[in-house]
Amino acid sequence: RLDLIPTGLYLLAVAVRIFRRGPWVFACSAAFQDRFDLVVGLPTLVAEVVVYVVVEPAPMLVLLAMRVGRGLRLLWYVSPVRDLLLLIGRLMPVIWQPGLLLLMMFYTYSVIGMQIFGGQIHHGNPALDGTTFAANQYWPLNFNDFGSGVVTLFVLMVVNNWFYIAEAFRRTSGTDWSQVFFVSWFILTNLIVLNILIALILELHSSFQEELGTQYRRWWRRRRGQDRQGPRPSVTREEILQ
């Protein structure tokens, strides 16, 4: 039950910040770290009270793992990790449209694959005897249901032995035209959509680094104007981002 003490102090610090700024200001304009403390700390306290004071249900033990989230907050003070999180936050509004397009393609191709190749991949199919597909036990990679189809498409997207998979479906379907399905998937995902996503990420990363450098130069000019005779001061990323 001593675990309740650090959690209570953790939430007490959050409560002081809420009282000082007001609930509305805290909810709308507080720093991400403050809201993160509240989201992590409150469920953790409830879980600890239930587990240690009332009863010990096994599912509540999972919530206790949220205590680790309090340590994750320290990652914000590690410059590379913080820069990565800021970059991911800026990426979300940019890549959500290509991401939705990729999800639609997964859905469409999985449904089409179920209609064309459904039920063809199974143990005992003589068309697959002696193939690398059967030797490597790739049986779960099929279009017998929607979930298996999505997994198969993901494996094809990352180009993990996709030619063995395509060859297996060519054998089971009995026609070379089945390869149009797999080649078109490769072209649309790997050569078009994923390249667009990578280009957006690289462009935004370049602009983020340029913006960080611009802020540093502005900070240096402002600091130099205050003390022209002093040596070049040390600067932290927190000061630059402010």
Side-chain angles (χ1 to χ4, degrees):
R1 291 184 174 86
L2 293 177
D3 292 338
L4 296 174
I5 297 177
T7 304
L9 295 176
Y10 189 78
L11 285 175
L12 179 62
V14 178
V16 170
R17 279 174 274 173
I18 295 176
F19 178 78
R20 185 181 62 183
R21 302 175 185 176
W24 179 254
V25 176
F26 183 88
C28 297
S29 60
F32 171 77
Q33 303 96 299
D34 296 335
R35 286 174 287 184
F36 179 83
D37 291 343
L38 182 62
V39 171
V40 171
L42 192 58
T44 303
L45 180 63
V46 173
E48 290 177 348
V49 170
V50 172
V51 171
Y52 293 121
V53 178
V54 183
V55 68
E56 287 195 27
M60 295 299 292
L61 296 177
V62 178
L63 291 180
L64 292 179
M66 296 185 66
R67 289 183 295 185
V68 181
R70 294 178 298 190
L72 295 178
R73 190 182 187 280
L74 298 176
L75 294 178
W76 182 257
Y77 299 97
V78 181
S79 298
V81 176
R82 183 178 62 252
D83 292 346
L84 178 62
L85 294 176
L86 290 173
L87 180 61
I88 293 175
R90 296 192 181 190
L91 277 174
M92 290 300 104
V94 177
I95 67 175
W96 73 273
Q97 288 183 336
L100 286 179
L101 176 61
L102 189 61
L103 290 178
M104 290 177 58
M105 291 176 59
F106 267 95
Y107 174 81
T108 303
Y109 268 77
S110 182
V111 172
I112 295 175
M114 290 171 59
Q115 299 300 319
I116 300 176
F117 306 112
Q120 295 184 6
I121 301 295
H122 57 83
H123 288 278
N125 190 333
L128 298 176
D129 291 343
T131 61
T132 306
F133 185 93
N136 291 331
Q137 299 293 317
Y138 286 164
W139 304 110
L141 302 178
N142 56 67
F143 288 96
N144 298 341
D145 56 78
F146 182 79
S148 298
V150 172
V151 173
T152 303
L153 291 172
F154 180 80
V155 173
L156 293 170
M157 184 183 68
V158 299
V159 200
N160 181 20
N161 291 335
W162 72 278
F163 41 89
Y164 294 141
I165 302 172
E167 174 63 18
F169 282 100
R170 187 191 68 81
R171 286 174 172 265
T172 56
S173 62
T175 175
D176 293 337
W177 287 103
S178 62
Q179 304 304 288
V180 175
F181 178 86
F182 300 97
V183 173
S184 64
W185 172 257
F186 176 82
I187 293 174
L188 291 175
T189 56
N190 292 73
L191 300 184
I192 299 179
V193 178
L194 290 183
N195 278 333
I196 292 175
L197 286 173
I198 293 173
L200 289 174
I201 293 173
L202 294 177
E203 177 66 24
L204 190 58
H205 179 267
S206 176
S207 62
F208 177 75
Q209 293 295 328
E210 183 178 351
E211 178 183 350
L212 191 63
T214 302
Q215 291 177 350
Y216 173 80
R217 288 190 292 271
R218 290 176 180 174
W219 179 90
W220 170 241
R221 294 194 199 101
R222 186 169 61 250
R223 187 68 176 266
R224 192 177 181 182
Q226 295 175 357
D227 186 9
R228 293 182 177 275
Q229 303 299 326
R232 180 170 180 170
S234 60
V235 56
T236 63
R237 287 178 178 264
E238 287 81 2
E239 293 176 297
I240 296 175
L241 293 175
Q242 288 175 357

